[in-house]
Amino acid sequence: MSLLLRSHLRHLWRDRWQTLLAVFGIATGVAVVLAVDLANAASREAMRLATQQLDGAATHAITGAGGRVAESEYPGLRLRWRQGDERFADVRAMAPVVTAEVRLSRASEEGPVWPVQLLGVDPVADAGMRAAVPSPAGGAAGRLISEAGTVLVDAGSLRQLGIDPEVESTLWVRSSAGMRAVRVIASFSLGDRALGQGLMIADIATAQELLDRVGWLSRIDLEREQATPTAGWAAFLERLFPGLVMAPVGSEDEDLGGGLRVVSLAEQAADTRALAASFQLNLAALGLLALLVGLFLVHGALTHAVMRRARSFGRLRALGVQAAEIYRMVMAEAVVMAVLGVLAGLLLGRWLASGLLLLVAGTLENLYGQVAAVALVPDLLPLAKAASVGILATVLAALPAASRASQVTPNGRSMVVRQADGPRRARWILLLLLAVSAALHPRLGYAGGLLAVGAVLLIAAALTPPWIRACLRLLLHVLRLAPLQVRLLLRDSERGLLRSGVAAAALVIAMATALGMGLMVESFRSSVDRWLDARLAAPLHLQFAGEHRVLPESLAELLSQSMDGHVFRVTWSDRVAGQPVRVSRISVSGELPEDLGLAMLVGRFAGHGVAISEPLARRLQLSVGSTLTLPMIGGERELSITGVFREYGAGPGLILVPEALALPALPGSAALELYGPRGDLDTVVGALAAAVPEGTRIRHNEALLSQARAVFDRTFQVTSVLQAIAGAVAALGLFAALTALGLERRAQFGVLRTLGVGRLTPVVQNIGEAVLLATAAVLLAMPLGVAVAIILMEVVNVRAFGWSLDWHFPSWLFLQALLASLLAGLLAAALPAWSLYRATPAALMMEVRADA
Amino acid sequence: MASVLLEVEGLTRVFTQGDRRIPVLENVAFVLSPGQRLTITGRSGSGKSTLLNLLAGLDRPDAGHMVWRVAGRDWNLAELDETTRTAFRRRHLGFVFQFFNLVPTLTALENVALLAELNGLDDPFGRARWRLQRLGLADREDAFPDTLSGGEQQRVAIARALVHEPSVILADEPTGNLDRDTGDAVFAQLLEVLAEENRALVLVTHDPALAIGGDAELALGRAP
Ligand SMILES: Nc1ncnc2c1ncn2[C@@H]1O[C@H](COP(=O)(O)OP(=O)(O)O)[C@@H](O)[C@H]1O
Ligand SMILES: [Mg+2]
């Protein structure tokens, strides 16, 4: 081994803790990038699987006139699909369904009755479509098919009826077709999604018999490939940055001929899908920001390692070692550290990803009652990406340190660190400001917004040292009459910025990110809350099967007796200015909240015009007062817009047309919102269940509301975990810097203690410095965090999803940032302070000599 | 016999390095009177600094004791606790180091005032200013140490050692880092002030020239 290398390795060994911290910094950066990618890919897959459990994997359905399809059509359609009919090109699965709302009871006479949805399926065709449907390979599926009158019922419903879900039992099914007995051969769990309504699964034939509908299907479910980019650059980018690339959402009814239509089921799953998309986008952004923090850590550690060795480099230069050799030596060191860090980071990242996945799985379990099959999607690309990003970032971060080391002159003193490089820094900040404004150009879309966030954070980093210096100088000025020890603290802190500045910058980035994300999530949450409140203001929601034009006569009377008011909407798909939209014709009756309880952004929902959703308004650049042309029976109609309302569901834009303007109406999917039940809600539900047409789904909105909130909160927990990690990494950087400063100041504290300064003084100085740094850092992070939040809310969200958010700035977020920052500072200072406290003055004085 | 300022008896200090015992001081004994000058000489590594550390209470002996008689009280540094030893150092001892060891982030004036302030004396800056004036540094008050020459730094250090009116100055090779002429000048200034104010000096040096003229000399044995 060359002696040069040997001396070098010994240095690394002597500074092993600092070296280790740098390696750890790289590792954490790599780990977070990898974990976010893996978690994103997996959560996307899990969301897909999870929506399958709720509505089945079905994204579309084939329906016919009268809300049913003749069973004889099915084989022909299946054949067309199998033979590669281009209409079915993107269909993954096709499954017939017979469904209706029925009621269960234990006995044929009096006794408790419980509403369930009867779902008749073909277990073979349905394989993989719906989680509750038993696998065709299992015994339960076999018995469903081969034994007539056998069913599966969810355990919650059985318990409601006082039946042990573990044993077989006989139940009575009441439907419009009368009362039939069924054999319950097994039960399954629905979890929270039960929502006051159970599920009963039967074979198609059994369901048809129970409902007296032999020869008819309710619909044929289709699972279509999700519209993700599959080719070219878009696909590569999507794999490289899962969650950053968003597919356009479109859904439109298609005519299959013969009275059959393909309708999109997207509306039902829209809420969670939109939430998932925005969550993944945020996560992906956060992953990149975490890397930025890691990068600063590496830069700080390497710079420090080089500065510590200035004297040694000087001696080597004096002995004839070339500047280039020193440069190579430092770069080699960085590469070794990068490789170690990347290896550790990949392992750590996989581990972290499974932790994040547990959180995601928790969300899904909460939502769908079953542990979703969440697994890491094996893919080499994210690994390669994280590894190359880690090595590249390290090498980049090492370049300034290496050039600094190679500039050491033989006396070892010329490494005058450019502390007062104000102009250079100002140029950087100016450049970054230009980058921010360029990135915000509308043509760059939401990706530009994310770039702008990155640039803002770099500005934060560049501002950190001068900002802290200014704070310290101001304090020094204010406290000019304070005891010398206080001034000593302030001056030492300023001097130490050379070391601690980079770490403080990392802390500022982490805090600004956490604050920006936090503000965005809080605003998001309160906006979504208000939107959900408005959307689910009615306690009951009825979704009719099949297509309708008007409210069934039979119901109208019952409704006027049992409810204070209702909204009946018929919804169909259409196109406006080339954009797919959903149009709802709104019929109002009785007492209703103002604007139907919509979260209006501008204007109102009034009888003389239409109200449109915010994303549509933005996409078509429409506003109150402008008009849009809507095809109606009897020709196109020009309608003026009277209001724009918030909408956080995904899918095409929504247009609400008052009843009077939309006549004669097109048939479409029909739904009822019921307000102000007169009397007990369960009694009302019971009466409704008997009166509604077959296949009508009754939903309690209250349960749905709280569930939606729970899902939102859990989903964004992942974000908080990542923020906490970024914060911890920054704290670690601060710890490294303060430890280094502590080591450097041992000699000085040795002198002071010799002169008679108490042993607590170094502790107070160390902790005081950390507190000063942390406070100054968080003060800078606050306005920058707000800037990040503004860009995330006003640019990224608007451009990516077309929705704006209500500003909601809870003061506790700022307080939390302050406390987190202080905690980081205290933790970082604790160890060096403790080691100073324990050292005897004689031992500290030894280092005065060693230093000389 | 004159009164006693410091009494040292049977002082022994043994370092252990791994399983090797390094006896640096063995059975050292001497007495110092107020206003006297004691010179400790010996080769490098003979234990001079070790002895000085013991006298200052920076380190504890393995055997023996050193008792200071100051302010009407006996301070047995071998037995007092850390806090009391620190308080004693702060109040009654003054230090001059080989490498000056000024606090780099305090000005010359502040470096000197620090000790007066620590001791809670009135008008610390007035005292510091007066001390600097006496050493001819009135115009360098606001300079930071890194802008001072070695001789100037050592004179600031001397002012710092004297500002709280200690009974004794401990000086470890005070001229070791200065050239001959500067060293001699600074040392002469130190002796002058001490003589005027009747303060004792414990001087560690390997320079025979500085040893001349002291009241007593303690030559430490050869290095192990
Ligand atoms: N803390 C310690 N641990 C081990 N050995 C020490 C320690 N302090 C001093 N020594 C050793 O004691 C001897 C005397 O040191 P020192 O008193 O500094 O010598 P001097 O000041 O006379 O040159 C040296 O050999 C030194 O290596
Ligand atoms: Mg010595």
Side-chain angles (χ1 to χ4, degrees):
Chain A
M1 195 188 329
S2 91
L3 286 173
L4 203 57
L5 186 60
R6 190 183 297 182
S7 117
H8 191 62
L9 288 180
R10 284 207 187 127
H11 257 299
L12 278 186
W13 178 244
R14 217 192 260 177
D15 280 351
R16 58 192 171 276
W17 295 113
Q18 298 282 336
T19 310
L20 209 67
L21 276 171
V23 169
F24 192 74
I26 303 168
T28 341
V30 169
V32 170
V33 169
L34 179 66
V36 162
D37 281 359
L38 293 180
N40 247 352
S43 79
R44 177 169 283 210
E45 180 63 12
M47 291 275 179
R48 197 182 64 75
L49 291 174
T51 18
Q52 285 182 17
Q53 297 195 12
L54 188 57
D55 298 303
T59 56
H60 295 75
I62 300 173
T63 62
R68 53 186 198 170
V69 179
E71 195 172 5
S72 53
E73 300 269 12
Y74 174 58
L77 289 168
R78 202 171 170 83
L79 199 66
R80 276 170 72 182
W81 169 45
R82 282 296 178 213
Q83 288 177 345
D85 184 324
E86 64 166 39
R87 274 181 182 285
F88 298 107
D90 53 354
V91 170
R92 257 199 277 201
M94 183 183 272
V97 173
V98 176
T99 181
E101 302 297 315
V102 299
R103 285 172 297 155
L104 289 179
S105 63
R106 275 182 87 158
S108 53
E109 306 89 36
E110 289 300 292
V113 175
W114 186 251
V116 295
Q117 182 191 1
L118 166 60
L119 191 67
V121 295
D122 171 358
V124 179
D126 226 86
M129 267 252 201
R130 269 165 280 257
V133 174
S135 135
R143 285 185 68 186
L144 282 185
I145 297 172
S146 60
E147 293 176 31
T150 48
V151 295
L152 308 175
V153 178
D154 76 276
S157 297
L158 291 175
R159 274 189 218 103
Q160 284 286 343
L161 292 164
I163 292 168
D164 180 358
E166 303 295 324
V167 297
E168 286 197 19
S169 55
T170 301
L171 283 178
W172 290 90
V173 177
R174 298 156 191 242
S175 72
S176 50
M179 190 151 55
R180 311 269 161 88
V182 289
R183 183 90 192 135
V184 183
I185 56 170
S187 66
F188 55 91
S189 159
L190 271 183
D192 284 355
R193 70 148 293 214
L195 300 180
Q197 191 203 28
L199 184 63
M200 177 164 79
I201 291 173
D203 164 48
I204 294 257
T206 301
Q208 286 172 332
E209 260 160 46
L210 286 174
L211 299 171
D212 224 354
R213 281 201 233 161
V214 175
W216 291 99
L217 301 173
S218 303
R219 57 173 202 261
I220 299 166
D221 281 351
L222 299 179
E223 183 194 355
R224 287 190 157 170
E225 297 284 351
Q226 229 118 2
T228 43
T230 47
W233 268 107
F236 183 69
L237 276 178
E238 162 61 25
R239 278 182 69 206
L240 204 54
F241 300 106
L244 269 186
V245 181
M246 275 174 304
V249 209
S251 74
E252 220 187 335
D253 290 3
E254 286 170 55
D255 208 332
L256 282 179
L260 296 180
R261 286 161 69 83
V262 176
V263 297
S264 162
L265 299 175
E267 266 213 332
Q268 291 146 27
D271 304 351
T272 41
R273 254 178 228 164
L275 217 59
S278 100
F279 156 73
Q280 289 177 342
L281 178 65
N282 286 314
L283 207 59
L286 205 58
L288 293 179
L289 300 181
L291 186 71
L292 206 62
V293 174
L295 199 117
F296 270 83
L297 209 66
V298 176
H299 173 67
L302 274 171
T303 310
H304 168 250
V306 164
M307 281 166 74
R308 241 175 107 73
R309 268 177 282 165
R311 192 171 285 127
S312 149
F313 288 139
R315 284 180 196 144
L316 289 175
R317 295 278 284 121
L319 294 175
V321 176
Q322 297 291 347
E325 285 174 294
I326 300 227
Y327 189 92
R328 278 203 297 273
M329 207 159 94
V330 175
M331 286 314 287
E333 178 180 328
V335 169
V336 169
M337 276 166 41
V339 169
L340 289 178
V342 161
L343 288 179
L346 293 182
L347 289 177
L348 199 66
R350 275 222 43 140
W351 177 76
L352 187 61
S354 31
L356 293 182
L357 280 185
L358 275 185
L359 277 181
V360 174
T363 309
L364 300 173
E365 190 179 339
N366 218 25
L367 184 52
Y368 306 108
Q370 286 171 33
V371 182
V374 186
L376 295 175
V377 186
D379 191 355
L380 266 183
L381 193 70
L383 291 177
K385 169 190 161 192
S388 36
V389 154
I391 289 183
L392 216 80
T394 311
V395 168
L396 269 180
L399 284 176
S403 85
R404 200 172 265 188
S406 66
Q407 282 160 20
V408 177
T409 55
N411 63 23
R413 299 224 173 269
S414 83
M415 203 160 52
V416 190
V417 182
R418 286 156 300 190
Q419 184 169 22
D421 53 352
R424 230 170 63 108
R425 202 179 279 278
R427 271 204 301 280
W428 260 106
I429 292 174
L430 206 69
L431 211 69
L432 285 167
L433 278 173
L434 283 177
V436 171
S437 43
L440 289 179
H441 192 277
R443 285 205 51 184
L444 287 176
Y446 64 91
L450 293 176
L451 285 179
V453 168
V456 164
L457 291 175
L458 285 178
I459 290 177
L463 277 178
T464 303
W467 160 257
I468 295 182
R469 187 167 301 125
C471 286
L472 292 172
R473 295 234 168 114
L474 181 73
L475 266 181
L476 203 55
H477 182 72
V478 171
L479 297 176
R480 61 189 177 282
L481 296 179
L484 280 172
Q485 296 208 44
V486 174
R487 272 188 269 173
L488 188 62
L489 164 63
L490 295 173
R491 293 221 188 108
D492 277 350
S493 302
E494 189 187 334
R495 183 179 248 244
L497 271 181
L498 232 49
R499 291 263 191 280
S500 57
V502 178
L507 189 65
V508 169
I509 290 185
M511 287 296 141
T513 307
L515 208 56
M517 280 277 170
L519 290 173
M520 195 274 288
V521 170
E522 278 304 307
S523 302
F524 203 168
R525 188 185 155 52
S526 81
S527 304
V528 168
D529 248 13
R530 282 187 38 195
W531 169 69
L532 284 172
D533 271 342
R535 255 197 58 169
L536 304 177
L540 285 179
H541 174 97
L542 268 69
Q543 179 78 43
F544 297 96
E547 297 211 315
H548 300 263
R549 284 164 193 260
V550 289
L551 182 64
E553 282 292 331
S554 58
L555 267 183
E557 200 172 318
L558 174 63
L559 286 178
S560 63
Q561 283 163 14
S562 55
M563 311 293 297
D564 284 349
H566 68 253
V567 173
F568 178 69
R569 26 158 111 202
V570 176
T571 306
W572 63 91
S573 300
D574 215 322
R575 264 175 190 277
V576 169
Q579 297 283 342
V581 293
R582 304 282 288 169
V583 186
S584 281
R585 170 178 172 268
I586 306 288
S587 315
V588 173
S589 146
E591 286 170 45
L592 291 174
E594 212 180 322
D595 290 324
L596 305 180
L598 289 171
M600 298 304 295
L601 199 62
V602 269
R604 319 227 10 215
F605 178 66
H608 58 278
V610 299
I612 63 175
S613 62
E614 187 191 6
L616 183 67
R618 286 188 189 276
R619 212 170 334 145
L620 300 181
Q621 299 187 326
L622 294 172
S623 169
V624 170
S626 36
T627 57
L628 54 81
T629 310
L630 216 56
M632 295 267 173
I633 290 179
E636 306 215 310
R637 283 196 65 170
E638 188 129 320
L639 297 166
S640 70
I641 297 166
T642 59
V644 177
F645 54 91
R646 292 187 186 284
E647 171 67 38
Y648 296 108
L654 193 59
I655 302 175
L656 302 184
V657 189
E659 184 178 28
L661 297 183
L663 273 174
L666 289 162
S669 69
L672 250 179
E673 310 279 349
L674 302 181
Y675 292 87
R678 299 194 177 129
D680 178 46
L681 198 60
D682 284 340
T683 320
V684 173
V685 171
L688 280 173
V692 293
E694 272 173 31
T696 305
R697 205 188 250 200
I698 304 179
R699 199 170 74 182
H700 289 257
N701 275 346
E702 205 175 309
L704 204 69
L705 188 65
S706 62
Q707 192 197 359
R709 286 186 182 138
V711 171
F712 185 91
D713 286 346
R714 295 211 52 153
T715 303
F716 279 94
Q717 248 177 18
V718 178
T719 330
S720 337
V721 169
L722 285 179
Q723 282 167 19
I725 291 174
V729 173
L732 209 72
L734 199 61
F735 166 74
L738 288 176
T739 310
L741 283 173
L743 282 177
E744 266 163 43
R745 295 200 190 127
R746 285 173 80 84
Q748 176 177 326
F749 284 128
V751 172
L752 286 176
R753 296 236 356 235
T754 301
L755 295 180
V757 164
R759 69 194 311 194
L760 266 178
T761 300
V763 176
V764 172
Q765 297 265 336
N766 248 31
I767 289 180
E769 177 170 14
V771 167
L772 281 174
L773 286 179
T775 311
V778 83
L779 285 181
L780 180 62
M782 280 178 185
L784 289 162
V786 171
V788 167
I790 291 175
I791 298 177
L792 285 176
M793 285 162 67
E794 302 289 333
V795 179
V796 177
N797 266 289
V798 167
R799 288 184 188 170
F801 305 105
W803 59 51
S804 62
L805 304 172
D806 271 337
W807 286 86
H808 183 63
F809 279 15
S811 50
W812 62 262
L813 260 175
F814 292 88
L815 196 69
Q816 182 182 294
L818 178 68
L819 292 180
S821 191
L822 284 179
L823 186 72
L826 287 179
L827 284 180
L831 206 65
W834 172 243
S835 113
L836 279 173
Y837 180 78
R838 285 204 333 178
T840 66
L844 292 173
M845 282 306 281
M846 282 283 284
E847 298 188 34
V848 177
R849 283 185 272 175
D851 206 44
Chain B
M1 194 182 133
S3 62
V4 173
L5 175 65
L6 167 66
E7 187 184 302
V8 173
E9 229 177 71
L11 209 55
T12 301
R13 185 72 174 102
V14 182
F15 290 115
T16 45
Q17 203 139 52
D19 44 3
R20 213 158 67 89
R21 282 166 41 90
I22 311 172
V24 177
L25 298 175
E26 274 172 311
N27 253 325
V28 175
F30 63 87
V31 184
L32 183 68
S33 300
Q36 268 196 336
R37 161 151 58 117
L38 170 71
T39 311
I40 301 171
T41 55
R43 278 189 288 170
S44 182
S46 58
K48 304 185 294 293
S49 298
T50 303
L51 176 57
L52 209 63
N53 280 347
L54 288 173
L55 297 185
L58 293 171
D59 193 9
R60 283 172 188 275
D62 295 298
H65 61 251
M66 56 284 180
V67 183
W68 290 91
R69 303 232 163 92
V70 185
R73 205 190 129 170
D74 281 5
W75 308 77
N76 183 354
L77 293 189
E79 269 152 32
L80 291 173
D81 64 15
E82 155 76 20
T83 317
T84 321
R85 279 184 285 148
T86 303
F88 169 78
R89 256 195 329 269
R90 175 191 294 198
R91 185 69 203 87
H92 300 294
L93 302 186
F95 288 89
V96 181
F97 307 95
Q98 177 177 358
F99 299 106
F100 327 134
N101 291 338
L102 297 176
V103 179
T105 46
L106 293 181
T107 61
L109 183 69
E110 288 169 342
N111 259 289
V112 180
L114 180 64
L115 258 268
E117 195 185 270
L118 279 176
N119 278 300
L121 303 179
D122 57 329
D123 192 17
F125 286 90
R127 288 168 188 266
R129 209 163 273 129
W130 181 73
R131 279 289 170 194
L132 285 176
Q133 256 164 24
R134 280 200 70 185
L135 289 155
L137 284 170
D139 53 338
R140 307 305 321 258
E141 274 179 6
D142 293 325
F144 281 93
D146 55 1
T147 64
L148 295 172
S149 73
E152 284 172 329
Q153 286 191 54
Q154 196 60 307
R155 280 186 286 157
V156 173
I158 290 171
R160 177 175 70 179
L162 289 165
V163 73
H164 55 300
E165 322 283 343
S167 317
V168 62
I169 300 282
L170 306 183
D172 194 349
E173 316 253 13
T175 59
N177 217 32
L178 299 172
D179 61 71
R180 179 96 248 166
D181 292 347
T182 314
D184 287 349
V186 169
F187 188 62
Q189 248 179 332
L190 174 64
L191 289 184
E192 190 187 336
V193 177
L194 290 177
E196 260 174 52
E197 301 178 8
N198 193 35
R199 302 185 199 285
L201 171 68
V202 178
L203 172 70
V204 163
T205 183
H206 63 263
D207 181 353
L210 290 194
I212 298 164
D215 301 301
E217 183 174 337
L218 181 70
L220 289 180
R222 60 194 76 82

